[in-house]
Amino acid sequence: QVQLVESGGGSVQAGGSLRLSCAASRYTYSIYYMGWFRQAPGNEREGVATIYTPTGTTYYADSVKGRFTISQDNAKNTLYLQMNSLKPEDTAMYYCAAARRGEAPGILSPRGWTYWGQGTQVTVSS
């Protein structure tokens, strides 16, 4: 099955930047949807940004529009999330997710995503 491994999390001050990476391996040809989700303690997991990989169409949560950018490098089977102008409320565990052709994952909902990474922590201090 598809395996996802995130990296790039860390601690940063408000206003700073981080770039998350998600390396996909095994059966990557079957992936049509990829995304980034986050979950803060006590909160439900929420969608941050997703991409329909065949066309590169992207979707963003209102809270991150204009600050975060999702992108893909097909040659490296890697998904990125460039996060700029970080705020303390961006603090969370960030997860990479993927779904296959024919599946119908939520555009910015964690429902329907088949594969998940282990997560990478992002902490933004004020």
Side-chain angles (χ1 to χ4, degrees):
Q1 62 180 23
V2 174
Q3 295 179 340
L4 305 173
V5 179
E6 303 100 331
S7 61
S11 297
V12 64
Q13 289 190 329
S17 298
L18 285 172
R19 188 177 80 156
L20 305 183
S21 299
C22 173
S25 60
R26 304 184 67 183
Y27 310 107
T28 56
Y29 61 85
S30 66
I31 297 174
Y32 271 45
Y33 309 88
M34 295 196 76
W36 289 98
F37 296 79
R38 65 187 182 187
Q39 187 168 18
N43 290 354
E44 295 185 350
R45 191 169 297 188
E46 63 178 5
V48 175
T50 60
I51 186 168
Y52 180 60
T53 58
T55 62
T57 303
T58 58
Y59 306 89
Y60 293 93
D62 288 343
S63 60
V64 306
K65 281 181 182 177
R67 300 189 297 122
F68 291 10
T69 303
I70 188 171
S71 62
Q72 57 181 348
D73 184 331
N74 293 330
K76 296 181 179 180
N77 292 322
T78 301
L79 182 74
Y80 300 101
L81 184 68
Q82 178 66 45
M83 304 186 294
N84 298 329
S85 302
L86 282 161
K87 303 176 181 180
E89 51 263 44
D90 295 318
T91 295
M93 184 72 79
Y94 283 70
Y95 297 91
C96 175
R100 297 168 298 187
R101 178 183 181 182
E103 297 178 335
I107 291 178
L108 288 171
S109 165
R111 293 184 179 179
W113 292 83
T114 305
Y115 304 104
W116 292 87
Q118 81 288 351
T120 186
Q121 179 68 37
V122 172
T123 302
V124 184
S125 58
S126 57

